[in-house]
């Protein structure tokens, strides 16, 4: 998220320093999955409309950065397959198909939630997995998380307005005196965008009065990367929280667990092995695929589940940019842009849903809602 914010700061000519305690993009964003999954097309509202627009424009945003850097981000609108194992699920899917026809369009572009009797491609998902058919969603896409981080970082290394500082840990933020205490001394600012993933929450808690609950929590996720001789253009598969994401270069990502409590944030265990067994059953082509990496990270989950973006009501020079939880990659470009525009006091290109504001999350955490 912070990398995207810095890209927008550069474009807007805002003098900025991007600081990271470690190397850029090695937090939750340095994983392997990169699924860009739309919300369901039913019960339409502002949040779903915002995500739709963000998912559509991301394609051009990434293309522009690839062009500027000469590096690939591993983006592809690969679409998504969802097996329907029971007849009642097909009925629901047919309703969603009508919802998608109504809502899934942006400019000239239309996307669909097709309900099919059989998978649209051979030698991929087990046809028996969809006893009542398959959804084929044409809006879903994927990006290679580490490749995207490399593209964003390469763009910023050539920036005129953004300075980069790795291995600098922010220990405390004092928004009212415009000072951040860091492991390398004090940093002065007129505006500070706090985009430290799940570690943003305790910092914000410490600057907020009368909270009844913390503003957010880390949720652990585990995923794996497999090597397989498959077409990188195959659809992403989704079933009950299991994602199978084909990437370029014969790599397939499998994820993810969702763990509210854990002993070791970065270890992998039997829960990931269970997901791998499920993936190999659902996709016979992966039965013998070698696991080349097992990975775990901590997602930032804000108290109200939605992203947390915008100025602190008591410290307006401090702007939150976190809480992307499971959908950060599809929204970060828009959220980062909104945070930078907040920082310089101009209207966002696309207004954020009110529920995303830091003020909303503080109200929820203070039992004011
Ligand atoms: C297994 C797994 C699978 C996932 N799959 C998907 C997916 O398919 N699609 C999707 O959209 N999302 C997915 N997510 C969620 C997504 O990865 C996260 O929501 C997203 O990466 C969060 O980005 P962020 O910039 O907020 O946090 P991070 O990427 O964690 O970045 C925070 C940065 O802040 C730095 N930092 C922290 N504290 C300090 C400090 N005190 N001083 C200085 N720097 C600091 C860290 O070093 C880090 O670089 C997945 C997450 C996991 C764990």
């Amino acid at each position: 998220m912070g990398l995207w914010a810095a890209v927008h700061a550069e474009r807007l000519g805002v003098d900025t320093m991007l600081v990271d305690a470690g190397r850029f993009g090695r937090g939750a964003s340095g994983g392997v999955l990169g699924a860009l999954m739309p919300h369901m097309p039913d019960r339409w509202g502002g949040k779903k409309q915002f995500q739709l627009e963000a998912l559509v424009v991301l394609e051009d945003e990434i293309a522009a950065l690839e062009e500027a850097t000469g590096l690939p981000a591993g983006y592809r609108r690969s679409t998504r397959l969802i097996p329907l194992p029971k007849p009642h699920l097909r009925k629901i899917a047919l309703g969603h198909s009508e919802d998608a026809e109504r809502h899934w369009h942006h400019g000239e572009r239309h996307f669909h939630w097709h309900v099919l009797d059989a998978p649209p491609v051979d030698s991929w998902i087990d046809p028996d997995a969809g006893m009542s058919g398959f959804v084929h969603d044409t809006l879903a896409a994927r990006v290679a998380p580490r490749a995207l981080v490399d593209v964003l970082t390469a763009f910023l290394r050539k920036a005129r307005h953004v300075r980069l500082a790795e291995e600098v840990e922010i220990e405390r933020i004092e928004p009212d005196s415009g000072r951040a205490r860091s492991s390398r001394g004090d940093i002065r600012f007129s505006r500070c965008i706090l985009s430290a993933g799940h570690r943003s929450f305790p910092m914000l808690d410490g600057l907020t009065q009368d909270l009844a609950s913390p503003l957010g929590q880390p949720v652990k996720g585990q995923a794996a990367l497999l090597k397989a001789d498959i077409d990188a253009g195959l659809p992403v598969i989704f079933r009950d929280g299991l994602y199978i994401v084909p990437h370029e270069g014969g790599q397939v990502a499998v994820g993810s667990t969702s763990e509210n409590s854990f002993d070791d944030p970065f270890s992998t265990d039997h829960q990931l092995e269970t997901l791998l067994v499920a993936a190999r059953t659902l996709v016979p082509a992966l039965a013998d695929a070698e696991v080349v990496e097992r990975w775990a990270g901590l997602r930032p989950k804000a108290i109200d589940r939605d992203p947390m973006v915008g100025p602190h009501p008591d410290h307006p020079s401090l702007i939150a940019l976190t809480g992307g939880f499971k959908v950060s990659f599809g929204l970060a470009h828009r959220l980062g842009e909104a945070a930078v525009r907040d920082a310089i006091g101009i209207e966002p290109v696309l207004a954020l849903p009110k529920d995303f504001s830091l003020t909303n999350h503080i109200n929820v955490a203070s039992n004011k809602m």
Side-chain angles (χ1 to χ4, degrees):
M1 292 257 214
L3 289 164
W4 271 112
V7 166
H8 289 292
E10 169 67 11
R11 288 179 183 161
L12 288 164
V14 185
D15 287 333
T16 301
M17 186 171 180
L18 181 66
V19 178
D20 200 301
R23 309 291 304 279
F24 295 128
R26 301 278 170 88
S29 306
V32 295
L33 213 66
L36 301 168
M37 297 296 106
H39 296 306
M40 305 291 272
D42 62 336
R43 289 180 290 148
W44 202 249
K47 288 189 225 175
K48 292 191 177 186
Q49 183 64 39
F50 181 85
Q51 193 217 25
L52 172 89
E53 197 271 352
L55 286 173
V56 177
V57 303
L58 181 59
E59 188 173 334
D60 291 341
E61 284 276 8
I62 288 181
L65 291 174
E66 287 180 328
E67 165 104 32
T69 59
L71 295 174
Y75 175 92
R76 197 186 277 237
R77 195 172 297 286
S78 29
T79 73
R80 166 172 62 169
L81 278 179
I82 307 172
L84 301 169
K86 302 264 171 60
H88 76 278
L89 295 174
R90 184 181 180 101
K91 215 170 140 194
I92 295 170
L94 287 168
H96 288 161
S97 179
E98 288 174 17
D99 294 325
E101 290 310 305
R102 243 191 319 277
H103 302 299
W104 276 14
H105 43 84
H106 182 262
E108 300 286 290
R109 305 195 62 179
H110 289 257
F111 303 93
H112 307 281
W113 182 272
H114 296 300
V115 180
L116 310 174
D117 293 330
V121 285
D122 293 331
S123 310
W124 185 224
I125 191 168
D126 175 6
D128 289 343
M131 296 304 279
S132 298
F134 294 83
V135 168
H136 184 218
D137 133 29
T138 64
L139 175 56
R142 55 89 168 144
V143 67
R146 292 170 191 169
L148 177 61
V149 162
D150 287 348
V151 169
L152 292 164
T153 310
F155 179 86
L156 292 169
R157 292 206 191 284
K158 290 199 263 176
R160 289 175 47 221
H161 301 283
V162 179
R163 279 185 298 146
L164 304 178
E166 293 180 291
E167 319 275 349
V168 178
E169 170 124 11
I170 301 298
E171 289 153 359
R172 201 168 69 241
I173 298 174
E174 297 169 359
D176 301 331
S177 60
R179 192 193 312 255
R181 308 277 183 185
S182 91
S183 53
R184 302 267 182 92
D186 290 358
I187 301 170
R188 307 299 304 239
F189 61 83
S190 62
R191 298 282 186 281
C192 170
I193 296 178
L194 176 57
S195 185
H198 71 92
R199 291 182 62 194
S200 312
F201 300 131
M203 291 196 223
L204 291 166
D205 290 346
L207 290 164
T208 311
Q209 290 185 345
D210 302 329
L211 290 177
S213 324
L215 282 163
Q217 65 170 105
V219 174
K220 179 175 172 180
Q222 302 179 40
L225 199 59
L226 280 62
K227 187 104 191 106
D229 185 17
I230 55 118
D231 178 352
L234 285 165
V236 172
I237 294 173
F238 175 69
R239 189 192 65 191
D240 299 336
L242 167 68
Y243 282 101
I244 304 171
V245 186
H247 285 286
E248 308 296 323
Q251 297 201 310
V252 180
V254 172
S256 303
T257 66
S258 194
E259 304 161 50
N260 287 317
S261 59
F262 43 85
D263 293 327
D264 180 350
F266 303 116
S267 63
T268 59
D269 58 28
H270 65 280
Q271 299 175 80
L272 180 57
E273 301 314 307
T274 305
L275 277 184
L276 284 166
V277 170
R280 293 183 196 281
T281 310
L282 197 55
V283 178
L286 298 180
D288 300 316
E290 180 196 352
V291 177
V292 290
E293 184 178 347
R294 291 175 171 81
W295 181 86
L298 296 178
R299 309 174 179 95
K301 181 185 177 196
I303 181 152
D304 209 20
R305 282 189 76 100
D306 287 318
M308 178 186 277
V309 185
H312 193 293
D314 302 326
H315 311 284
S317 62
L318 179 66
I319 291 131
L321 176 59
T322 183
F325 194 29
K326 297 184 178 178
V327 293
S328 288
F329 281 101
L331 298 179
H333 54 304
R334 278 298 194 215
L335 303 180
E337 181 177 48
V340 171
R341 294 174 82 94
D342 258 337
I344 57 173
I346 57 173
E347 289 293 309
V349 172
L350 192 68
L352 297 192
K354 290 216 164 28
D355 289 354
F356 289 11
S357 70
L358 174 57
T359 302
N360 169 62
H361 289 279
I362 289 175
N363 286 340
V364 172
S366 319
N367 290 335
K368 287 188 191 149
M369 299 184 73

